[in-house]
Amino acid sequence: MQDPVITPDLIKQHGLTPEEYGRIKDILGREPNYTELGIFSVMWSEHCSYKNSRPLLKTFPTKSPKILVGAGEENAGIIDIGDGLAIAFKIESHNHPSAVEPFQGAATGVGGIIRDIFTMGARPICSIDSLRFGPITEEKSQSLLASAAVRANGGQSEIAKNKRLFSGVVSGIAHYGNCFGIPTVSGEVYFDKSYEGNPLVNAFCLGVLRHEQIARGAAKGIGNPVFYVGPATGRDGLAGAAFASQDLTEESAEQQRGAVQVGDPFMEKLVMEACLELLATDAVAGIQDMGAAGLTCSTCETAARAGTGIEIDLAQVPQRAPNMTPYEIMLSESQERMLIIVHRGREPEVKRIFDKWDLPWAEVGQVTDTGRMVVKNHGRVVADIPAKKLADEAPIYQREAREPEYLKAVRAFTLSGIADTKDAVGDLKTLLSWPTIASKNWVYRQYDHMVRDGTVVCPGSDAAVIRIKEDSLPNGKEQTPTTNHQAPEKLQAGENTNGNKVSSVEKYIAMKVDCNAGYVYLDPYEGAKAVVAEVARNLACSGAVPLGSTDNLNYGNPHNPEIFWQLRESVRGLAEACRAFNAPVTGGNVSLYNQNPSGPIDPTPTVAMVGLIEKPEHVTTQWFKDEGDAILLLGEVVDRNDPLLGLGGSAYLQQIHGLKTGAPPRCDLGREKELHLALRSLIYSGVVKSAHDCSEGGLAVAVAESCISQQIARETPRLIGAEIDLSEVKDLRLDALLFGETQSRVVISVPALQADKVLAQAKILGVPAARLGTVGGTALKINTSGGSLTWDLRELHDLWWNAIARAME
């Protein structure tokens, strides 16, 4: 088959500028051929090279005494959790593929992040996800446009399309995670018009390993053989990295339908077990998954990390389709494939393990001392490129940044034209039934969140908690037969059946993912600080101390100066907040070009944070526990220095008034950190029975969720009432009191006899605190200076629990 002639149009189709093409010619000292052009196009895409965002990423805090593998070093960061154990975790996006093929796009997003974790030598033990879609119910802000939208889409409303994407993505995540056998323990789902046609699917995975089991993705050892393991390479996923680095339009989606990979979770399970068993033999010199950019990325990156070269012959690569070209083989992103560099002389062990797990494998090349990635096909060279220049020296751009014009109106907004609520009872019902706030049980009941029996706090509380136990860890090093003959009953404590030392220490890890993108849209710097503060607050509510963070930066086209300004300012806020909470960034993902013909998505810097809970008795959940307990608020009832009283960018303004505007609540990082320290101190003292942070919907929603969110069995809620007294709060709008989203607030419950002691202790710790009321009864009652408000808990639970299911009927 004849390669096409390289023309300016072909170069443009590959997402390369004339200047970048000139740089490629300088690197090669000649014109690239078609295969080399494709290789450069994927490796120099934003998805792989971060050419528009790398200078900003360097401003993140990435150092900590606990960090064993830092950001950018390998496929995932690794943090020490004590007793010789460590955790590997990372979050990545699969946005464009999920917009085109929601089921497979989401499924392969889960598969890809799982591979990033076991590539590090860790056994994956749980996953979480962060999802964004257009509205699945008609909202105030779009009701006037609904009929026009239906006509414009030939009779299919945007809501119907959003439901299809939502259903497909959730099914894809459930399929891959459930079949692979990993619990999906937490997540978040937001619905907003800016995500119509461009959903966000951010997948996170966490794994566990011992310090000595850390694996590296470097092609070490000149002459070492290079093995390919996993299913044959096909034409699915072709140039997926390049597809993810361009604007998403209906035309590009249709053209790139083949850029969406097809996943096989059962194959991935076999690949993982084989790789972990192989890593225990010391036969592996380097290992890398074939994720974005497939065989291209895995070969050039492993060589670049080691400062070596690599040579492969594509004729040896298993191929699923006949007559595949070198271009197709190198750029394919077929799933569940790994590249493994083996110590020379250990090939028989490698083949034995792959055959044991019934996996396809092939020896495809060797490590060289040339510093070049040389690709042959039946002995003929089809690509010859300096590995380090390809992998690490993509062009870096400092894009123009300009403050968006819309922010002038945002800052000018006041409450003068917004009447105070006349129906607070109805407003709370509306907020609890808004899919963004409502229970996400329709989503997580499709996930197996109990597989492997390590889940301590299931989906539905502020943060998930997972227990790391002995069988969470990868197997230890293989022993010679003479050490394997002991009967299990004669083993010494701390040994397994192979006589290997194992840790008998159990650990409790909390994790959460968060992002209020509306805040970031209205104030990228303050909004991004609030994102980190909220996720850290959720960990504190569970009893955890932050260990580290991973982020997924989802934005529109960086060539737009206003979009790049959003990115720059929010990275500044994220970095400042991560420093404040001592939660360094261990890695993550940048996903740009997220926009549809109607415009860009709201800037969505998703942050996943992981924390450690020292003792099982410190694990805390959000729901009230016992009748008669005192309900306390840590933090100010309202920030009176905020002209909008916490209503700027609030769920209340969006849902009740159809407005997404106003400066969001200020985030004082010093005050927030003091709150977390005080909350953990109270939890450690044993007096806190429940803790729930105030976020979307404000104080009223937080208290209501504490009354209705406990599930004691499937479809069996435990409803417990509360009586709240806010009558002493004078001269304040009722909507701000109930639904304002002032930062740095947590609702806790404690034994009634301990309430005064807790309030005194909070004062000593420098945190404002007040008694709100008492747990008990069958209703939620809130007394205000203007009268008493009452809600039936069964009705509130029904609205909150079934909102998404009703929308999806």
Side-chain angles (χ1 to χ4, degrees), residues 227-230 267 270-271 273-275 277-278 318 340 346-363:
F227 277 75
Y228 168 118
V229 63
M267 176 63 76
L270 296 176
V271 171
E273 295 295 351
C275 287
E277 182 175 334
L278 182 60
I340 301 175
R346 306 291 294 275
E347 295 92 337
E349 295 171 76
V350 176
K351 297 173 183 177
R352 174 182 59 80
I353 289 173
F354 290 159
D355 287 342
K356 168 190 169 182
W357 290 98
D358 198 22
L359 286 171
W361 60 266
E363 187 174 337

Short mmCIF file of all heavy atoms in Angstrom, two decimals, residues 227-230 267 270-271 273-275 277-278 318 340 346-363:
data_model
loop_
_atom_site.label_atom_id
_atom_site.label_comp_id
_atom_site.label_asym_id
_atom_site.label_seq_id
_atom_site.Cartn_x
_atom_site.Cartn_y
_atom_site.Cartn_z
N PHE A 227 9.07 -7.26 25.04
CA PHE A 227 7.91 -8.13 24.84
C PHE A 227 6.63 -7.31 24.73
O PHE A 227 6.46 -6.29 25.41
CB PHE A 227 7.77 -9.11 26.00
CG PHE A 227 8.62 -10.34 25.88
CD1 PHE A 227 9.99 -10.29 26.11
CD2 PHE A 227 8.06 -11.56 25.54
CE1 PHE A 227 10.77 -11.42 26.00
CE2 PHE A 227 8.84 -12.71 25.42
CZ PHE A 227 10.20 -12.63 25.64
N TYR A 228 5.77 -7.78 23.88
CA TYR A 228 4.39 -7.28 23.75
C TYR A 228 3.50 -8.33 24.37
O TYR A 228 3.63 -9.52 24.06
CB TYR A 228 4.11 -7.10 22.26
CG TYR A 228 2.68 -6.85 21.82
CD1 TYR A 228 2.35 -5.66 21.17
CD2 TYR A 228 1.66 -7.79 21.98
CE1 TYR A 228 1.05 -5.42 20.70
CE2 TYR A 228 0.37 -7.56 21.53
CZ TYR A 228 0.07 -6.37 20.89
OH TYR A 228 -1.20 -6.14 20.42
N VAL A 229 2.56 -7.93 25.24
CA VAL A 229 1.61 -8.88 25.80
C VAL A 229 0.22 -8.27 25.79
O VAL A 229 0.04 -7.08 25.99
CB VAL A 229 2.01 -9.30 27.23
CG1 VAL A 229 1.99 -8.12 28.18
CG2 VAL A 229 1.09 -10.40 27.75
N GLY A 230 -0.75 -9.10 25.50
CA GLY A 230 -2.13 -8.64 25.42
C GLY A 230 -2.73 -8.98 24.07
O GLY A 230 -2.08 -9.59 23.22
N MET A 267 -10.07 -9.63 29.69
CA MET A 267 -8.68 -9.69 29.22
C MET A 267 -7.78 -8.84 30.12
O MET A 267 -6.66 -9.24 30.47
CB MET A 267 -8.60 -9.21 27.77
CG MET A 267 -7.19 -9.13 27.20
SD MET A 267 -6.35 -10.73 27.12
CE MET A 267 -7.17 -11.44 25.67
N LEU A 270 -6.76 -10.65 33.25
CA LEU A 270 -5.68 -11.62 33.01
C LEU A 270 -4.34 -10.92 32.85
O LEU A 270 -3.31 -11.37 33.38
CB LEU A 270 -5.99 -12.44 31.75
CG LEU A 270 -7.24 -13.33 31.79
CD1 LEU A 270 -7.44 -14.00 30.43
CD2 LEU A 270 -7.13 -14.37 32.89
N VAL A 271 -4.34 -9.82 32.09
CA VAL A 271 -3.10 -9.07 31.88
C VAL A 271 -2.55 -8.57 33.21
O VAL A 271 -1.34 -8.66 33.48
CB VAL A 271 -3.33 -7.90 30.89
CG1 VAL A 271 -2.10 -7.00 30.83
CG2 VAL A 271 -3.65 -8.43 29.50
N GLU A 273 -3.06 -9.75 36.32
CA GLU A 273 -2.54 -10.83 37.17
C GLU A 273 -1.21 -11.35 36.63
O GLU A 273 -0.29 -11.65 37.40
CB GLU A 273 -3.57 -11.95 37.27
CG GLU A 273 -4.86 -11.57 37.98
CD GLU A 273 -4.68 -11.22 39.44
OE1 GLU A 273 -3.57 -11.44 39.98
OE2 GLU A 273 -5.64 -10.73 40.06
N ALA A 274 -1.11 -11.47 35.30
CA ALA A 274 0.15 -11.93 34.72
C ALA A 274 1.27 -10.95 34.98
O ALA A 274 2.39 -11.34 35.33
CB ALA A 274 -0.04 -12.16 33.22
N CYS A 275 0.99 -9.65 34.82
CA CYS A 275 2.03 -8.64 35.01
C CYS A 275 2.48 -8.58 36.48
O CYS A 275 3.68 -8.48 36.76
CB CYS A 275 1.53 -7.27 34.56
SG CYS A 275 1.42 -7.10 32.76
N GLU A 277 2.34 -11.01 38.64
CA GLU A 277 3.12 -12.22 38.91
C GLU A 277 4.51 -12.11 38.30
O GLU A 277 5.51 -12.49 38.91
CB GLU A 277 2.39 -13.45 38.35
CG GLU A 277 3.13 -14.75 38.63
CD GLU A 277 2.36 -15.98 38.18
OE1 GLU A 277 1.11 -15.92 38.11
OE2 GLU A 277 3.02 -17.02 37.93
N LEU A 278 4.57 -11.56 37.10
CA LEU A 278 5.86 -11.39 36.44
C LEU A 278 6.75 -10.41 37.20
O LEU A 278 7.97 -10.64 37.34
CB LEU A 278 5.63 -10.91 35.00
CG LEU A 278 6.88 -10.72 34.13
CD1 LEU A 278 7.64 -12.04 33.99
CD2 LEU A 278 6.48 -10.19 32.76
N PRO A 318 1.39 -8.91 17.14
CA PRO A 318 0.13 -9.57 16.79
C PRO A 318 -0.88 -8.57 16.22
O PRO A 318 -1.07 -7.49 16.79
CB PRO A 318 -0.35 -10.13 18.14
CG PRO A 318 0.88 -10.21 18.99
CD PRO A 318 1.75 -9.09 18.55
N ILE A 340 6.78 -4.75 27.77
CA ILE A 340 7.60 -5.17 28.90
C ILE A 340 9.03 -5.41 28.44
O ILE A 340 9.27 -6.15 27.48
CB ILE A 340 7.04 -6.46 29.55
CG1 ILE A 340 5.60 -6.20 30.04
CG2 ILE A 340 7.92 -6.92 30.70
CD1 ILE A 340 4.91 -7.41 30.59
N ARG A 346 16.05 -14.18 30.91
CA ARG A 346 14.87 -14.53 31.71
C ARG A 346 13.64 -14.76 30.83
O ARG A 346 12.52 -14.90 31.33
CB ARG A 346 14.56 -13.41 32.73
CG ARG A 346 15.73 -13.02 33.62
CD ARG A 346 16.09 -14.11 34.61
NE ARG A 346 15.06 -14.36 35.59
CZ ARG A 346 14.93 -13.67 36.74
NH1 ARG A 346 15.75 -12.69 37.03
NH2 ARG A 346 13.96 -13.99 37.59
N GLU A 347 13.84 -14.82 29.52
CA GLU A 347 12.71 -14.98 28.60
C GLU A 347 11.85 -16.21 28.89
O GLU A 347 10.61 -16.13 28.81
CB GLU A 347 13.21 -15.03 27.15
CG GLU A 347 13.85 -13.76 26.65
CD GLU A 347 15.35 -13.74 26.87
OE1 GLU A 347 15.85 -14.48 27.77
OE2 GLU A 347 16.04 -13.01 26.13
N PRO A 348 12.44 -17.38 29.23
CA PRO A 348 11.59 -18.55 29.47
C PRO A 348 10.58 -18.34 30.60
O PRO A 348 9.43 -18.81 30.50
CB PRO A 348 12.61 -19.65 29.83
CG PRO A 348 13.86 -19.22 29.12
CD PRO A 348 13.88 -17.74 29.22
N GLU A 349 10.98 -17.62 31.67
CA GLU A 349 10.04 -17.35 32.77
C GLU A 349 8.88 -16.48 32.29
O GLU A 349 7.72 -16.70 32.65
CB GLU A 349 10.75 -16.64 33.92
CG GLU A 349 11.82 -17.47 34.61
CD GLU A 349 12.61 -16.61 35.56
OE1 GLU A 349 12.07 -16.30 36.65
OE2 GLU A 349 13.75 -16.23 35.23
N VAL A 350 9.22 -15.50 31.49
CA VAL A 350 8.21 -14.58 30.98
C VAL A 350 7.20 -15.35 30.13
O VAL A 350 5.98 -15.21 30.29
CB VAL A 350 8.86 -13.45 30.18
CG1 VAL A 350 7.80 -12.54 29.55
CG2 VAL A 350 9.81 -12.65 31.06
N LYS A 351 7.70 -16.16 29.23
CA LYS A 351 6.81 -16.92 28.35
C LYS A 351 5.95 -17.89 29.15
O LYS A 351 4.77 -18.08 28.85
CB LYS A 351 7.65 -17.66 27.31
CG LYS A 351 8.42 -16.73 26.38
CD LYS A 351 9.38 -17.50 25.47
CE LYS A 351 10.19 -16.54 24.60
NZ LYS A 351 11.17 -17.27 23.76
N ARG A 352 6.55 -18.49 30.19
CA ARG A 352 5.79 -19.45 31.01
C ARG A 352 4.61 -18.76 31.70
O ARG A 352 3.50 -19.29 31.72
CB ARG A 352 6.72 -20.07 32.05
CG ARG A 352 6.00 -20.98 33.06
CD ARG A 352 6.96 -21.55 34.11
NE ARG A 352 7.63 -20.52 34.87
CZ ARG A 352 7.09 -19.87 35.91
NH1 ARG A 352 5.84 -20.15 36.27
NH2 ARG A 352 7.78 -18.98 36.57
N ILE A 353 4.86 -17.58 32.24
CA ILE A 353 3.78 -16.87 32.97
C ILE A 353 2.70 -16.41 32.00
O ILE A 353 1.50 -16.55 32.28
CB ILE A 353 4.38 -15.69 33.76
CG1 ILE A 353 5.20 -16.23 34.93
CG2 ILE A 353 3.27 -14.75 34.25
CD1 ILE A 353 5.98 -15.19 35.70
N PHE A 354 3.09 -15.88 30.84
CA PHE A 354 2.08 -15.44 29.87
C PHE A 354 1.26 -16.63 29.37
O PHE A 354 0.04 -16.52 29.21
CB PHE A 354 2.74 -14.73 28.69
CG PHE A 354 3.32 -13.38 29.04
CD1 PHE A 354 4.30 -12.82 28.25
CD2 PHE A 354 2.87 -12.68 30.14
CE1 PHE A 354 4.82 -11.58 28.55
CE2 PHE A 354 3.40 -11.43 30.46
CZ PHE A 354 4.38 -10.89 29.67
N ASP A 355 1.92 -17.75 29.13
CA ASP A 355 1.19 -18.94 28.68
C ASP A 355 0.26 -19.45 29.77
O ASP A 355 -0.86 -19.90 29.49
CB ASP A 355 2.18 -20.04 28.28
CG ASP A 355 2.87 -19.73 26.95
OD1 ASP A 355 2.36 -18.89 26.19
OD2 ASP A 355 3.93 -20.34 26.69
N LYS A 356 0.72 -19.39 31.02
CA LYS A 356 -0.12 -19.83 32.15
C LYS A 356 -1.44 -19.05 32.18
O LYS A 356 -2.50 -19.63 32.43
CB LYS A 356 0.64 -19.63 33.46
CG LYS A 356 -0.23 -19.78 34.70
CD LYS A 356 0.53 -19.33 35.96
CE LYS A 356 -0.42 -19.23 37.14
NZ LYS A 356 0.27 -18.74 38.36
N TRP A 357 -1.37 -17.75 31.92
CA TRP A 357 -2.57 -16.90 31.94
C TRP A 357 -3.26 -16.84 30.58
O TRP A 357 -4.19 -16.07 30.38
CB TRP A 357 -2.20 -15.49 32.42
CG TRP A 357 -1.85 -15.46 33.88
CD1 TRP A 357 -0.60 -15.48 34.43
CD2 TRP A 357 -2.77 -15.45 34.97
NE1 TRP A 357 -0.67 -15.48 35.79
CE2 TRP A 357 -2.00 -15.46 36.17
CE3 TRP A 357 -4.16 -15.45 35.08
CZ2 TRP A 357 -2.57 -15.46 37.43
CZ3 TRP A 357 -4.74 -15.43 36.34
CH2 TRP A 357 -3.96 -15.45 37.50
N ASP A 358 -2.80 -17.69 29.65
CA ASP A 358 -3.45 -17.81 28.34
C ASP A 358 -3.50 -16.47 27.61
O ASP A 358 -4.51 -16.08 27.03
CB ASP A 358 -4.86 -18.38 28.49
CG ASP A 358 -5.40 -18.92 27.16
OD1 ASP A 358 -4.57 -19.24 26.29
OD2 ASP A 358 -6.63 -19.01 27.01
N LEU A 359 -2.35 -15.76 27.65
CA LEU A 359 -2.28 -14.44 27.04
C LEU A 359 -1.45 -14.46 25.76
O LEU A 359 -0.39 -15.09 25.71
CB LEU A 359 -1.63 -13.44 28.01
CG LEU A 359 -2.49 -12.99 29.20
CD1 LEU A 359 -1.64 -12.19 30.18
CD2 LEU A 359 -3.67 -12.16 28.72
N PRO A 360 -1.90 -13.76 24.73
CA PRO A 360 -1.06 -13.59 23.55
C PRO A 360 0.19 -12.79 23.91
O PRO A 360 0.11 -11.84 24.70
CB PRO A 360 -1.95 -12.80 22.58
CG PRO A 360 -3.34 -12.91 23.12
CD PRO A 360 -3.21 -13.08 24.59
N TRP A 361 1.31 -13.17 23.39
CA TRP A 361 2.54 -12.42 23.62
C TRP A 361 3.44 -12.55 22.40
O TRP A 361 3.26 -13.43 21.55
CB TRP A 361 3.28 -12.93 24.86
CG TRP A 361 3.68 -14.38 24.80
CD1 TRP A 361 3.00 -15.44 25.28
CD2 TRP A 361 4.87 -14.92 24.19
NE1 TRP A 361 3.65 -16.62 25.01
CE2 TRP A 361 4.82 -16.32 24.35
CE3 TRP A 361 5.97 -14.37 23.54
CZ2 TRP A 361 5.82 -17.17 23.87
CZ3 TRP A 361 6.98 -15.21 23.07
CH2 TRP A 361 6.89 -16.60 23.24
N ALA A 362 4.41 -11.65 22.32
CA ALA A 362 5.38 -11.71 21.23
C ALA A 362 6.63 -10.95 21.65
O ALA A 362 6.54 -9.92 22.33
CB ALA A 362 4.81 -11.11 19.95
N GLU A 363 7.77 -11.46 21.25
CA GLU A 363 9.02 -10.72 21.42
C GLU A 363 9.19 -9.85 20.18
O GLU A 363 9.34 -10.36 19.07
CB GLU A 363 10.20 -11.68 21.57
CG GLU A 363 11.50 -10.99 21.93
CD GLU A 363 12.63 -11.97 22.23
OE1 GLU A 363 12.33 -13.14 22.59
OE2 GLU A 363 13.80 -11.56 22.10
#
